[in-house]
Amino acid sequence: MTSLNPKHFLLSLPKWILICVLIGILSGSASAFFLVSLEWVTQFRIQHNWIIWLLPFGGFLVGLSYYYWGESVAKGNNLLLEEYENPKKVIPFKMAPLVLLGTLLTHLFGGSAGREGTAVQMGGAIADQFTKFFKLDNSERKILIILGISAGFASVFGTPLAGAIFALEVLYFSKINFKSILLSFLVAYAAYFTVEFWEIKHTHYSIPVVPELSLNNIIFTLIVGVLSGFAALLFSKSTHFWGSLFSKNIKYPPLRPVIGGVVLAIAIAGFGFTKFSGLGVPVIVDSFSNPNQWYDFLLKILFTGFTLGAGFKGGEVTPLFFVGATLGSTLSTVIPMPIALLAGIGFVAVFSGATHTPIACTIMGMELFGIAPGIFIAIACTIAYFSSGSVGIYKSQIVKGAKYKLYQRLNSNF
C-alpha cells in the first residue's frame, strides 16, 4: 500500500465523496436496468424455448457489434485490470452499452454466462469518464477504476462489503492507499442503495443448520475447499482453452459466436440441457435443498467455457456460483454435513479459487448466508484459493503474495 498525505487527503475528500456518489448512482442505476432487462429476457426464453435455436443469429449480432464498434473494449474485465496496472487512456464509454447489449442477447438466446462482468465493465466505463470531468491524473485514474469495479460488483449482487473488498483484492491491493479503501466502501454502498431505491430484489439463500466446529467437520471442509479449487482451475482452463481454440481456427471474429451458437443450440435445445442456459439461478437455489447429479457442475463448466470462449458476452461469477453450489450439493451424498452448508461453501469457494480473492469471497459468504457458517466458509475459500492454480479467469490479473510464491516454488521443483 502506498502512503497518504493527510492534508492532501482532507482537501480532496469533498471532491472524491461527490465522485463516489455520482458513480454509485450511475452504476447502481445501470445495474438496476441491467437486472430488470436480464430477468425479462430470461423469462422470455424460458417461455419460448424455441428461441434457443436462434442462438447462432444472436451470436452473429454480438460478434458483429464488437468487430465493428467494440475492438478497443473487447478485453472486458481484463482491460480494467490492465488500465489499473499501466494507465494509458480513458476506457471508452461505449464499453457499457456494448457489454449490456451483448450480455442480454447471450441470455435471450440461451447462452451460458453470468452477469458480474457486465456490471463491472459498465461500472468501470462509467467511472473512468470522470477522468475528463475532474481532470484527474493517472494515479487518480487508478482510484476511479477501483470505484467502478466496486460499484458494479456491489450493485449486481447486493453485497456492498464484498464488492468493496473484491475491487481491492482482485488488484492484490497493488499501490492502494487508505483513501482508495475508504472510497471503495463508500461507492459500494452508494451503488447498493441505488439498486435498493429502484426496488430491485436479489436472490436470497439460506443455510438453516450449521454444525459444531469439530475436527471431523474441519477435515470435511478442507476436502470441499480442495475440490472447489480444482473445479475453479478447470473452469479457468476451460474458458481460456475455448477462447484460444476459436481465435486460432476462426479468423473472422463475428463468425466465432455463430459457429459456437450452432453447437450450443444443438446441445442445449436438441439434447435437453436447457437448465445450463443463462445464469442457472433456479438450479443454484435448488442445490441448497436437493442433491444434484454428480456431473452437473462439470457440464456448467463446459457450457460456460464454450459460450464465453466463442465470443458471447456476460460474466463468469454466477456460473462459478452454479459450479460451486452444485458441487457442494453433490458432495452432500458422501460428506456428512448439511446440504445447504456444503452448497454454500462451494458457492463462494469456487469463486475464490477462480478470482484469487479469498477475503472478498469469505465476506460475501457471510453477507449472503449469515455469520454462523463464517468459519467454514473462510477455511474453504482459503484452501480453494491455494489449490486453484496460478491462473484464474482474468488473464491480466497480477497474482502475488503467498500463492505466487507457492507456485513459483512448485514450478522450480518440477
Side-chain angles (χ1 to χ4, degrees):
M1 286 188 190
T2 59
S3 59
L4 180 67
N5 185 314
K7 183 178 179 180
H8 181 265
F9 170 67
L10 291 174
L11 290 174
S12 64
L13 190 57
K15 176 185 73 176
W16 282 104
I17 291 176
L18 174 61
I19 291 174
C20 284
V21 172
L22 292 174
I23 292 174
I25 292 174
L26 293 173
S27 296
S29 297
S31 289
F33 176 78
F34 170 53
L35 290 172
V36 170
S37 303
L38 185 58
E39 178 62 19
W40 188 88
V41 299
T42 299
Q43 291 305 317
F44 185 89
R45 186 191 71 242
I46 291 172
Q47 295 165 17
H48 306 84
N49 263 335
W50 57 266
I51 202 172
I52 295 176
W53 289 108
L54 297 180
L55 194 54
F57 172 71
F60 184 65
L61 293 178
V62 174
L64 211 61
S65 65
Y66 270 83
Y67 183 67
Y68 283 105
W69 301 295
E71 185 178 358
S72 62
V73 296
K75 290 183 179 180
N77 287 357
N78 285 304
L79 178 60
L80 299 179
L81 299 179
E82 289 174 9
E83 281 298 321
Y84 179 86
E85 192 65 27
N86 185 23
K88 292 181 179 178
K89 58 182 179 179
V90 174
I91 295 168
F93 179 74
K94 63 183 177 182
M95 171 184 270
L98 278 172
V99 74
L100 172 64
L101 177 63
T103 303
L104 292 178
L105 287 172
T106 296
H107 284 273
L108 174 63
F109 294 106
S112 176
R115 55 191 172 182
E116 120 289 337
T118 306
V120 166
Q121 288 172 53
M122 289 194 300
I126 290 170
D128 211 13
Q129 304 313 304
F130 287 91
T131 299
K132 304 171 185 175
F133 295 129
F134 289 90
K135 298 180 179 178
L136 305 178
D137 59 27
N138 280 341
S139 64
E140 292 174 312
R141 268 199 70 212
K142 288 174 175 282
I143 299 178
L144 286 181
I145 292 174
I146 291 172
L147 299 184
I149 295 173
S150 176
F153 193 98
S155 58
V156 81
F157 291 123
T159 54
L161 288 175
I165 296 173
F166 177 82
L168 302 168
E169 192 177 13
V170 77
L171 300 166
Y172 189 69
F173 303 98
S174 177
K175 300 176 183 176
I176 290 172
N177 55 39
F178 177 75
K179 180 168 70 174
S180 301
I181 298 172
L182 178 65
L183 297 178
S184 183
F185 280 93
L186 178 59
V187 76
Y189 274 97
Y192 167 75
F193 283 119
T194 298
V195 173
E196 291 287 297
F197 172 81
W198 290 116
E199 298 184 350
I200 306 301
K201 303 300 180 184
H202 298 282
T203 306
H204 292 283
Y205 305 93
S206 174
I207 299 179
V209 179
V210 179
E212 63 178 9
L213 191 64
S214 65
L215 178 60
N216 283 344
N217 286 335
I218 291 176
I219 293 173
F220 291 140
T221 303
L222 292 173
I223 293 172
V224 176
V226 171
L227 294 176
S228 295
F230 290 165
L233 175 61
L234 184 60
F235 186 100
S236 299
K237 292 287 187 182
S238 172
T239 303
H240 300 326
F241 169 78
W242 291 114
S244 176
L245 185 69
F246 273 97
S247 62
K248 285 180 179 179
N249 293 285
I250 304 174
K251 299 304 179 183
Y252 184 55
L255 195 58
R256 295 168 192 165
V258 174
I259 294 175
V262 171
V263 176
L264 285 168
I266 293 172
I268 294 172
F271 290 90
F273 288 127
T274 54
K275 77 176 185 178
F276 300 103
S277 292
L279 297 172
V281 171
V283 178
I284 298 174
V285 172
D286 184 66
S287 68
F288 279 72
S289 53
N290 299 300
N292 288 89
Q293 297 295 329
W294 66 268
Y295 50 78
D296 281 352
F297 79 98
L298 292 172
L299 287 177
K300 188 62 174 178
I301 290 173
L302 174 62
F303 279 109
T304 304
F306 192 89
T307 297
L308 298 178
F312 288 93
K313 297 300 173 181
E316 298 94 345
V317 172
T318 304
L320 286 168
F321 293 162
F322 184 115
V323 170
T326 53
L327 172 61
S329 178
T330 297
L331 291 174
S332 69
T333 60
V334 294
I335 292 179
M337 293 178 74
I339 184 173
L341 176 63
L342 290 171
I345 289 173
F347 184 109
V348 287
V350 174
F351 177 31
S352 170
T355 58
H356 311 304
T357 57
I359 301 173
C361 292
T362 298
I363 298 298
M364 184 178 205
M366 290 189 282
E367 280 190 285
L368 291 173
F369 311 128
I371 299 295
I375 186 63
F376 295 106
I377 290 170
I379 292 171
C381 284
T382 303
I383 297 302
Y385 163 70
F386 280 107
S387 59
S388 61
S390 57
V391 178
I393 55 175
Y394 307 131
K395 285 186 175 180
S396 298
Q397 185 180 14
I398 304 297
V399 182
K400 299 179 182 178
K403 181 172 186 173
Y404 173 78
K405 294 176 182 177
L406 171 64
Y407 282 94
Q408 282 288 94
R409 182 171 299 178
L410 289 175
N411 289 335
S412 64
N413 291 334
F414 294 96

